[in-house]
Amino acid sequence: MRIGELSRRSGVSVPTIKYYVREKMLPEGERTAANQVSYSEEHLRRLRLIRGLIDVGGLPVPAVREVLAEIDAPEPSTHRAVAAAHRGLTVLTGESTDQLREEARRTVESVFAERGWSPGEDNPGIPALVEALARMRLLGQDSFVDCVSRYAEAAEAIAEIDIDLLSRRTNVADAVENAVLGTVLGDVVIAALRRIAQEQVFNRHTEGDG
Amino acid sequence: MRIGELSRRSGVSVPTIKYYVREKMLPEGERTAANQVSYSEEHLRRLRLIRGLIDVGGLPVPAVREVLAEIDAPEPSTHRAVAAAHRGLTVLTGESTDQLREEARRTVESVFAERGWSPGEDNPGIPALVEALARMRLLGQDSFVDCVSRYAEAAEAIAEIDIDLLSRRTNVADAVENAVLGTVLGDVVIAALRRIAQEQVFNRHTEGDG
């Protein structure tokens, strides 16, 4: 198809498509005549992936570029692709105190021990978890921090579904894409479901406060 | 305390503190002498709340302002405060096709029926869920969409913990603050725990792919 059709079908403007090509996020089209470049269904699929990560997942362009580079690598790694996506999502610019962070680290370690988890030190979830828990303590939300082990149990149930889905993929590049989307868009889905379930459970327990 | 001490203890610069006061996000300090304004522990607590929502939760300033207005309202509402926070987090700028969204809406309704959920139409989770699922379909992640009911079950387990925590608060303003932080920072905690649990479950099931 011509670039105009690719733009129409993907909902991405022609200048933006050209930008993605320049940035090597999208492969060049095939030159079919002096002034004609043709794009395939693969290009459309890639554009949808890019927009899904950016629009729904909230991933910044540099993180998308890293994720795509991993998907396109000769030996793509799910772990590295998800780590790249997650680095892009991390918004931890502020700092809590060292003491609170040390305390949060101990809480995290005791949760890991309790649940029999032994994650790698480079798991991008660990610093995010430590910082968020330190902030929770700083904000007087000790009861939340004390419940982390229960939240961890629920998170493990989610991860079981994630890995079950992932294990159905036989193609490696497919599995990597699935893992990234399941993580980035999946976080949006889980946050949305949580919001809806909260209302349900809240109404079941109380009359509501307005 | 003077503004310098408030700045040091909160880690927020003096100009930013003054900006929050101008924007009515932080109450003015008490004028104790011609050239002296004094701030209390309440100011410090409020500043930490603002920075927690912005730095860890990734909430934009206008959403924080809305949340604070709700917390400070004569009759604060948990529902409205969490809805304001969630509106601020929604990054759904892109659009999937109407047909996919219609299909996603039917999926969502069947999940609600299956789980016995009957959320209000204004629940901010619903449009986020519909759009994310439509994108998942567009990206060929049908197996994820087919598992939404399982994710919903896990989300309900999370919501049970959320509401359990919330119900321990007796003061309404406290409950509202707890609900917002539990939602905004809580999403970060759950996403982080999910990432860590994925590694755990993945290693349990496979040798890993690198």
Side-chain angles (χ1 to χ4, degrees), chain A residues 159-182:
Chain A
E160 290 280 356
I161 312 171
D162 295 334
I163 302 301
D164 181 19
L165 278 171
L166 187 63
S167 64
R168 297 185 202 168
R169 303 282 165 147
T170 45
N171 176 302
V172 178
D174 247 28
V176 172
E177 194 176 311
N178 166 268
V180 171
L181 287 171

Side-chain angles (χ1 to χ4, degrees), chain A residues 32-52:
Chain A
T32 51
N35 252 332
Q36 268 192 28
V37 178
S38 168
Y39 296 88
S40 67
E41 293 294 320
E42 265 312 299
H43 286 95
L44 180 60
R45 190 175 134 78
R46 171 56 61 101
L47 268 180
R48 285 176 173 162
L49 174 62
I50 295 171
R51 297 311 306 182

